[in-house]
Amino acid sequence: QVQLVESGGGSVQAGGSLGLNCTGAGSTFTTNCVGWIRQVPGNQREVVAALYNGGRATYYGDSVKGRFAIYRDATKDTLHLEMNSLKSEDSAMYYCVAKCLVVADPWSYSNWGRGTQVTVSS
């Protein structure tokens, strides 16, 4: 398993923006399904955004459509998540993930980073 390392989490006020980054070795981000999953303790996991079909297709969870953007920097082997118009309900631990069977199923991802916390205050 290639190690995925997240960075960029933190605290922000509602309405603000935050960017997350994920680094991985080699061709990690050309594998099928790379993206971000978030989880709040006691709540279900949610696939926030993902690239699949070799990066030719993009998936966004309904709750973040129009506000979040996922993109890959191939030259730096990094994956980014740009989060705008943040809401208090976006507060969660965000995990960089890779390798899935079903892009929208958070339980089908086999490679996980350790996570980075995002806190949005209202």
Side-chain angles (χ1 to χ4, degrees):
Q1 291 279 48
V2 174
Q3 185 177 11
L4 303 175
V5 180
E6 303 94 340
S7 63
S11 299
V12 65
Q13 289 194 332
S17 300
L18 204 59
L20 303 183
N21 307 298
C22 177
T23 58
S27 61
T28 301
F29 300 124
T30 61
T31 61
N32 197 34
C33 297
V34 290
W36 298 88
I37 287 174
R38 68 185 182 188
Q39 184 169 23
V40 177
N43 286 14
Q44 290 187 347
R45 295 173 175 176
E46 176 187 9
V47 179
V48 174
L51 300 173
Y52 62 107
N53 283 351
R56 294 184 295 274
T58 306
Y59 170 88
Y60 290 101
D62 288 340
S63 62
V64 306
K65 284 180 181 177
R67 300 188 297 122
F68 289 15
I70 184 173
Y71 58 97
R72 178 172 66 93
D73 184 340
T75 61
K76 298 180 180 178
D77 284 332
T78 57
L79 186 70
H80 304 278
L81 182 68
E82 181 179 314
M83 304 183 292
N84 300 306
S85 300
L86 283 162
K87 306 175 183 179
S88 57
E89 51 263 44
D90 293 318
S91 296
M93 184 69 79
Y94 283 71
Y95 298 91
C96 180
V97 292
K99 294 187 179 180
C100 77
L101 297 175
V102 178
V103 65
D105 181 0
W107 298 98
S108 73
Y109 286 78
S110 60
N111 193 0
W112 290 65
R114 299 185 67 176
T116 185
Q117 179 67 39
V118 171
T119 302
V120 183
S121 57
S122 56

